[in-house]
Amino acid sequence: MLARLRFPEPESRGRRYPELPHPYRNSFQRDRDRIVHARAFRRLENKTQVFTPGFSDHFRNRLTHTIEVAQLSRTLAGVLDLDQDLTEALALAHDIGHPPFAHAGEAELDLQMRRFGARFEHNLHSLRIVETFEQRYARFPGLNLTFEVREGILKHSRDFEPGDNPAAEEYLPGLRPLIEAQLIDLADETAYNTADLDDGFEAGLVDLDSIAGAVPAFAAILESVEMQYPGAVDRVRFLEALRLLIDTLMTGLIQGTAAAAGESGVRCPDDVRAHPTRLARFTPESAATSVELKKLLHTRVYNSPALDAGRTRSRRMIAELFQHFVDHPDRMPEPHSTMAQEQPLHRVVCDYIAGMTDGFFLRCYDRNS
Ligand code: MG
């Protein structure tokens, strides 16, 4: 399919600190393993995806969401003849920089940072984690990942232009990420749209009629499921339809990407980087389905009173704890309190809070208020 666009692992720009090759794992396989063994990766288990743990024990958290993205991404890379190891490493790392309390946490940290003329952006934070905060090796800080994995972590969901951010300067600003990295963003979108629909259904926020009314592709799938299994209960009909919906979106993503790559005339990974637009994309039909799903989820799930109250509360607590540590940097533990003497205080406070799990944040908030 797109083997000509697959990034050739032996041509990696390599690691910041050179290392000897491993006898039976290539660089991208080692990067994947390093990500799985990172502390920030394990913390994903206790970070909210959409529903806080109070709702149910079997809703997604950020770790199970990450596993779902990794699974979809491996399939995409396999079908399209791309590098599965690079794709998997990027999928496993894609949310590693997410703060506690999902998008509410991200939005509030960004708001707090703007007071100091700075920003919080989770992809940049992910890069800081794998470059600096993970301390597991005697010879170097961070995980010493390959250039392509670091570039993909930074750019999978947004492009950078030269001068946008000093941290992005070494990662080819102005150029698109590799096709393996581009796919992560849409695998992520497919994973969360369908998973949030699943959890929203389980929580009673959407039902078969409301989904079919808002998403014509789902209505057509549901009709075929009802013909095939007329006696099935709602929940099973929903799950049968959801499975086919994931298939439809994934097929749309494979076909859309293959078509865009064909039409663009790109012939190698460098062409992908130099192309003015991203080439990973849905077909127009599946793109419309993805947008319809998103709209439905915004109205019925994300902005439901059930989730809204928790979000307002989380944002207030983050704002309070942020201000508390700005006023009392000595109340942060080492090494944060020492770092606060060397770096801008707001950045140190932001990094400390961004690294917290939901549970640690709540305990920390209780101790400090
Ligand atoms: Mg994600």
Side-chain angles (χ1 to χ4, degrees), residues 91-110:
L92 291 169
H94 90 280
D95 269 352
I96 213 168
H98 246 293
F101 306 116
H103 290 287
E106 187 177 13
E108 189 57 40
L109 280 180
D110 191 43

Side-chain angles (χ1 to χ4, degrees), residues 49 62 65 69 94-95 188 192:
Q49 176 66 16
R62 213 158 269 282
H65 159 72
V69 176
H94 90 280
D95 269 352
D188 183 29
Y192 67 67

Side-chain angles (χ1 to χ4, degrees), residues 99-233:
F101 306 116
H103 290 287
E106 187 177 13
E108 189 57 40
L109 280 180
D110 191 43
L111 189 72
Q112 294 301 317
M113 290 298 275
R114 282 170 191 253
R115 296 198 290 137
F116 300 90
R119 300 293 306 265
F120 175 76
E121 212 262 327
H122 82 263
N123 290 345
L124 279 159
H125 190 69
S126 298
L127 197 61
R128 287 155 64 73
I129 288 173
V130 300
E131 283 276 82
T132 312
F133 300 150
E134 288 288 329
Q135 297 284 349
R136 319 178 58 79
Y137 294 85
R139 282 206 299 125
F140 43 75
L143 303 178
N144 199 28
L145 303 175
T146 56
F147 175 89
E148 291 73 24
V149 170
R150 283 178 281 138
E151 181 204 17
I153 287 175
L154 180 70
K155 299 205 293 199
H156 75 269
S157 60
R158 60 165 290 199
D159 293 345
F160 286 85
E161 294 307 318
D164 275 357
N165 193 297
E169 284 308 304
E170 69 173 296
Y171 298 104
L172 314 175
L175 296 184
R176 261 24 75 209
L178 294 167
I179 190 91
E180 282 90 349
Q182 294 184 21
L183 280 168
I184 301 300
D185 195 37
L186 299 175
D188 183 29
E189 182 174 325
T190 306
Y192 67 67
N193 275 338
T194 53
D196 295 345
L197 194 68
D198 190 10
D199 291 346
F201 183 87
E202 196 74 18
L205 298 173
V206 287
D207 56 20
L208 289 174
D209 288 340
S210 58
I211 307 168
V215 186
F218 186 88
I221 290 170
L222 187 63
E223 210 176 293
S224 72
V225 167
E226 281 169 348
M227 300 254 286
Q228 214 181 339
Y229 308 107
V233 297

Side-chain angles (χ1 to χ4, degrees), residues 326-339:
V326 166
D327 294 340
H328 310 282
D330 52 307
R331 297 201 188 153
M332 286 187 289
E334 289 300 333
H336 306 279
S337 48
T338 303
M339 285 186 328

